[in-house]
């Protein structure tokens, strides 16, 4: 077990959660403010999606990402930026013609998924390493698209966070490494408890950890009520931590949380194990990230 770990806060996500909690940030200002709140509470990394400021729904608008990033970078609070590059993968077949997408389908090309990353150059971006039945829809990330996206990320100099929602995703991520498309020590994120991917339990996390390549960094998260158990399990197994309103809305049963409160809670829980959160500077050094401030 490490004595210092990286805490990532996933701020808002793209799910239909804004009507379930008033604390889910929607506008660029709210998202940036939430990132700063989380950083002050102990998060080293802020994982960023954006939403349509008018509807609260999913958005991929590079201008919204730019406003969030600029607000955070112009603040006096340091935090490592991790921009999603996994949007635009939702597929729901039309009831009339299953060969075309129905209502709710939202597909982007690899180039479109990469656009905010290529323009803003955060320290980290996500790379969702495969397709999956995601609830009642399909998340599409075909292997040829992933290879193309990995090359774009590699050319930009941004570190990919290899998101694995199932064991096959981990297997393909290792294939990307073998093909020379991932530079440096790889960074993995185990995404547990998503219907219908890998389960949120110790056995699954151990199995995935044991399949990691040499010199890999890794973290794990569970959704909903599994957020805190999986956070502690990850640390006990040598990994890092992710919490945040993208994955869980509650501080405890019936009590809605802010991102800062979720980070504070997991920080307090880790303290009982003698584990401290890394600072953003320590996280950059640990993961081999570029310094956006030129230090």
């Amino acid at each position: 077990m490490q004595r210092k770990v990286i805490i990532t806060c996933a701020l808002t996500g793209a799910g239909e959660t804004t009507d379930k909690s008033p604390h889910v940030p929607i506008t660029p200002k709210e998202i940036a403010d939430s990132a700063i709140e989380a950083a002050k509470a102990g998060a080293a990394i802020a994982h960023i999606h954006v939403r349509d400021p008018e509807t609260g729904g999913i958005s991929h608008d590079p201008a919204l990402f730019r406003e969030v990033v600029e607000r955070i970078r112009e603040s006096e609070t340091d935090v490592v930026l991790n921009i999603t590059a996994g949007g635009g993968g939702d597929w729901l077949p039309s009831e009339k013609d299953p060969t075309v997408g129905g209502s709710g389908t939202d597909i982007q090309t690899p180039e479109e998924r990469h656009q905010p990353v290529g323009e803003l150059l955060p320290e980290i971006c996500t790379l969702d390493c495969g397709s999956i039945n995601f609830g009642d829809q399909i998340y599409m990330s075909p292997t040829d698209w992933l290879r193309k996206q990995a090359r774009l990320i590699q050319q930009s100099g941004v570190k990919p966070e290899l998101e694995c929602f199932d064991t096959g995703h981990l297997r393909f991520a290792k294939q990307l490494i073998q093909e020379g498309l991932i530079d440096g020590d790889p960074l993995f994120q185990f995404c547990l408890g998503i219907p219908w991917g890998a389960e949120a339990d110790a056995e699954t996390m151990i199995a995935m950890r044991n399949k990691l390549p040499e010199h890999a960094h890794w973290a794990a998260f569970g959704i909903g009520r599994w957020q805190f158990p999986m956070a502690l399990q990850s640390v006990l197994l040598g990994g890092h931590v992710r919490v945040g309103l993208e994955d869980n809305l509650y501080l405890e049963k019936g009590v809605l949380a802010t991102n800062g409160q979720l980070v504070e809670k997991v920080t307090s829980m880790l303290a009982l194990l003698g584990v401290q959160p890394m600072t953003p500077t320590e996280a950059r050094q640990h993961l081999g990230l570029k310094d956006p401030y030129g230090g």
Side-chain angles (χ1 to χ4, degrees), residues 192-194 198-202 204 221-223 226 230:
L192 307 178
I194 305 290
E199 291 190 74
D201 57 32
T204 301
F221 70 86
I223 64 168
W226 294 109
M230 290 299 98

Side-chain angles (χ1 to χ4, degrees), residues 73-107:
R73 286 178 173 167
E74 290 170 1
S75 75
E76 296 180 358
T77 302
D78 186 22
V79 66
V80 176
L81 300 182
N82 176 346
I83 290 181
T84 182
D90 301 340
W91 174 268
L92 293 93
S94 168
E95 292 183 5
K96 294 183 179 180
D97 181 359
T99 65
V100 299
S103 176
T105 293
D106 176 33
I107 298 295

Side-chain angles (χ1 to χ4, degrees), residues 157-175:
V158 174
K159 190 174 192 70
E161 180 182 65
L162 304 169
E163 290 203 325
C164 299
F165 293 79
D166 216 339
T167 54
H169 295 180
L170 175 54
R171 185 179 178 191
F172 185 71
K174 293 194 291 185
Q175 180 65 26

Side-chain angles (χ1 to χ4, degrees), residues 47-70:
H47 175 54
I48 300 168
H49 289 249
V50 294
R51 293 179 178 268
D52 184 320
E54 300 298 325
T55 68
I58 189 171
S59 177
H60 314 297
D61 187 348
L64 296 176
F65 279 105
R66 179 172 295 280
E67 183 177 348
V68 173
V69 168
E70 287 178 350

